[in-house]
Amino acid sequence: MTNESCRRTATDAGVDWDAQAAAFDDEPDHGLRPPGVRAAWADRLRGWLPGHPADVLDLGCGTGSLSLLAAEQGHRVTGVDSSPAMAALARAKLAGRDAVVLQGDAASPPVGERRYDVVLVRHVLWTLPDPERVLRHWRTLLRPGGRFVLVEGVWGTLDPVGIPADRLVALLEPVARHTRVERLSDDPELWGGAVDDERYAVLAGV
């Protein structure tokens, strides 16, 4: 993915995702179509998710690319996306897997009393108006011993948007027992090319 296309995606928080859904997977790190990109994300997920079958809640799942990788690794996946078109594409992508896709708000997902081993979120938390409150709510969706897997970043130079890693770690302090930051900017396979902005994952146990 070029830096320009990443900035365009990141700064367009008011985008009509239903209208964008059909072309969403054209970006290498969205659709994970290039074999190298797909393998790179699969390897990262293998390290981030439990080594045994677990219940994974993928919030803001988009077209379900990460949900599919998690399901392929033996996990039971619930995806949530606010866009009906995105959710429909995710359901098609996950057909036949141990997975369900719900339409709803990532900040307050419609999962009722269900609890999960992992809350997985990529490039969503920074768009939400009160991330501290959202993290507190997401914490209630995790079982004891569960974990957050949060992939975020800071995009752009003149008017950067996103969440710096140190700020996200601070936001997690009230709800997590320990955190670890994994830098992702220097792995071009994840993005389909070299990038020069801040991209990272925070792994946080509760």
Side-chain angles (χ1 to χ4, degrees), residues 81-149:
D81 202 274
S82 61
S83 161
M86 290 282 194
L89 289 170
R91 289 187 191 105
K93 192 177 288 187
L94 289 157
R97 305 286 179 177
D98 192 356
V100 62
V101 177
L102 307 174
Q103 182 189 339
D105 182 3
S108 185
V111 297
E113 298 301 312
R114 288 199 61 183
R115 295 297 175 262
Y116 298 85
D117 302 301
V118 180
V119 167
L120 169 66
V121 188
R122 182 174 68 163
H123 300 167
V124 172
L125 184 63
W126 76 271
T127 69
L128 304 178
D130 189 350
E132 185 175 11
R133 179 191 62 79
V134 169
L135 287 169
R136 288 198 303 270
H137 179 62
W138 288 351
R139 170 64 181 85
T140 69
L141 305 178
L142 284 168
R143 295 178 178 131
R147 70 185 71 171
F148 289 106
V149 177

Side-chain angles (χ1 to χ4, degrees), residues 6 21 36 41 65 94 121 123 203-204:
C6 188
W41 280 102
S65 295
L94 289 157
V121 188
H123 300 167
L203 299 310

Side-chain angles (χ1 to χ4, degrees), residues 23-193:
F24 186 78
D25 280 354
D26 292 345
E27 293 290 353
D29 66 312
H30 291 172
L32 311 185
R33 290 168 176 163
V37 175
R38 182 179 177 82
W41 280 102
D43 286 345
R44 294 284 180 161
L45 275 188
R46 200 169 287 112
W48 296 339
L49 301 181
H52 55 82
D55 293 308
V56 176
L57 179 61
D58 183 5
L59 297 175
C61 67
T63 62
S65 295
L66 289 188
S67 290
L68 178 59
L69 291 183
E72 288 176 344
Q73 293 178 12
H75 301 293
R76 300 172 295 272
V77 181
T78 299
V80 176
D81 202 274
S82 61
S83 161
M86 290 282 194
L89 289 170
R91 289 187 191 105
K93 192 177 288 187
L94 289 157
R97 305 286 179 177
D98 192 356
V100 62
V101 177
L102 307 174
Q103 182 189 339
D105 182 3
S108 185
V111 297
E113 298 301 312
R114 288 199 61 183
R115 295 297 175 262
Y116 298 85
D117 302 301
V118 180
V119 167
L120 169 66
V121 188
R122 182 174 68 163
H123 300 167
V124 172
L125 184 63
W126 76 271
T127 69
L128 304 178
D130 189 350
E132 185 175 11
R133 179 191 62 79
V134 169
L135 287 169
R136 288 198 303 270
H137 179 62
W138 288 351
R139 170 64 181 85
T140 69
L141 305 178
L142 284 168
R143 295 178 178 131
R147 70 185 71 171
F148 289 106
V149 177
L150 306 175
V151 181
E152 289 292 339
V154 178
W155 302 271
T157 52
L158 295 178
D159 188 19
V161 296
I163 301 179
D166 56 355
R167 178 171 179 242
L168 181 49
V169 168
L171 289 173
L172 283 163
E173 284 182 359
V175 296
R177 292 185 295 108
H178 53 82
T179 58
R180 175 170 65 86
V181 178
E182 194 168 313
R183 301 293 174 178
L184 306 178
S185 299
D186 58 355
D187 186 350
E189 287 287 2
L190 291 170
W191 316 109

